Amino acid sequence: RKEVEQDPGPFNVPEGATVAFNCTYSNSASQSFFWYRQDCRKEPKLLMSVYSSGNEDGRFTAQLNRASQYISLLIRDSKLSDSATYLCVVNDDNQGGKLIFGQGTELSVKP
Amino acid sequence: EPEVTQTPSHQVTQMGQEVILRCVPISNHLYFYWYRQILGQKVEFLVSFYNNEISEKSEIFDDQFSVERPDGSNFTLKIRSTKLEDSAMYFCASTGQSQETQYFGPGTRLLVL
């Protein structure tokens, strides 16, 4: 079983649509959770951390369900500039531990 | 805003040659990392470095790889004898005392011919 699993997409949506990405992770002892964004041939950039209580940053909402080992990202009112690959990332050790990346979900927002 | 920098941005080398990839982490950060991403694949962890020693390494990080922090600012990844399958984007990352967020450099694209 993959450590972090995501639907690779691509998700093709019109501007203004709401789109949701899901991710599952295999290690129930995982400590921290993130969504990163990666543009083509660029470095991953942190979009947001994910907490059990859920968190929102503008049009982006992230949720964590520890019991189901499931992480989600919701993007509302999608913009052309949201087109990118969204990486689900898990850290098993908060003491400077490595990040474990999912394959990424590709999003393409069309006019 | 402080950022991680990496040089060179691109490197082309012949199989069997040594390459050194350079990174300057964010200045007050304490934990340093190398990751790689083969084209079309996921980002994979190579090695983490703290307090002047390796804290963790992956199976990929075999005897051909080494890391060094030769001074207070640079963090390098050396591949002693490159193989075709080492062709990838190599990302350096760093994080501070809180260890909450790892910040990534722009990467070095390595092509081994």
Side-chain angles (χ1 to χ4, degrees):
Chain A
R1 183 182 172 187
K2 292 180 185 175
E3 291 180 281
V4 179
E5 201 150 356
Q6 298 180 248
D7 179 348
F11 283 56
N12 296 304
V13 303
E15 265 187 295
T18 295
V19 60
F21 303 137
N22 303 315
C23 165
T24 56
Y25 60 95
S26 60
N27 184 358
S28 59
S30 295
Q31 297 289 316
S32 47
F33 310 88
F34 310 91
W35 284 100
Y36 276 73
R37 169 193 169 128
Q38 186 174 32
D39 292 283
C40 188
R41 296 176 178 266
K42 298 288 182 73
E43 75 273 25
K45 291 188 176 177
L46 179 70
L47 183 65
M48 55 200 306
S49 301
V50 190
Y51 305 109
S52 296
S53 54
N55 48 304
E56 188 173 309
D57 183 2
R59 297 181 293 108
F60 299 84
T61 301
Q63 293 276 355
L64 166 65
N65 184 323
R66 282 189 181 269
S68 304
Q69 293 176 215
Y70 173 93
I71 306 163
S72 65
L73 176 68
L74 185 76
I75 305 176
R76 288 180 299 279
D77 187 24
S78 50
K79 313 288 186 195
L80 297 177
S81 56
D82 293 334
S83 296
T85 297
Y86 289 82
L87 308 176
C88 179
V89 184
V90 170
N91 189 335
D92 287 351
D93 172 11
N94 282 340
Q95 300 301 311
K98 66 180 185 286
L99 297 181
I100 303 165
F101 285 78
Q103 179 80 18
T105 298
E106 185 183 343
L107 172 66
S108 179
V109 181
K110 308 288 188 189
Chain B
E1 184 179 320
E3 56 185 21
V4 177
T5 59
Q6 290 185 242
T7 54
S9 59
H10 294 78
Q11 173 96 47
V12 181
T13 190
Q14 295 290 325
M15 191 169 58
Q17 295 296 303
E18 175 183 287
V19 295
I20 297 176
L21 310 183
R22 292 184 165 79
C23 169
V24 179
I26 294 172
S27 64
N28 61 347
H29 281 186
L30 302 174
Y31 297 82
F32 314 112
Y33 309 83
W34 284 101
Y35 293 84
R36 80 170 186 191
Q37 186 175 30
I38 295 170
L39 189 64
Q41 297 187 23
K42 65 179 182 179
V43 177
E44 300 174 289
F45 167 78
L46 292 178
V47 64
S48 57
F49 193 86
Y50 171 70
N51 201 24
N52 284 318
E53 59 184 25
I54 290 173
S55 28
E56 188 177 0
K57 58 185 180 181
S58 71
E59 290 177 356
I60 303 167
F61 195 89
D62 61 23
D63 292 345
Q64 293 301 311
F65 290 86
S66 62
V67 289
E68 196 176 36
R69 187 156 162 83
D71 52 42
S73 60
N74 290 285
F75 179 51
T76 62
L77 174 70
K78 182 193 292 187
I79 309 175
R80 251 179 286 282
S81 176
T82 49
K83 301 189 277 287
L84 296 177
E85 55 265 37
D86 293 329
S87 295
M89 183 75 114
Y90 288 81
F91 294 109
C92 173
S94 68
T95 188
Q97 188 66 42
S98 69
Q99 300 155 56
E100 170 68 11
T101 302
Q102 292 186 22
Y103 294 91
F104 284 75
T108 294
R109 185 169 297 281
L110 176 66
L111 178 61
V112 182
L113 300 176

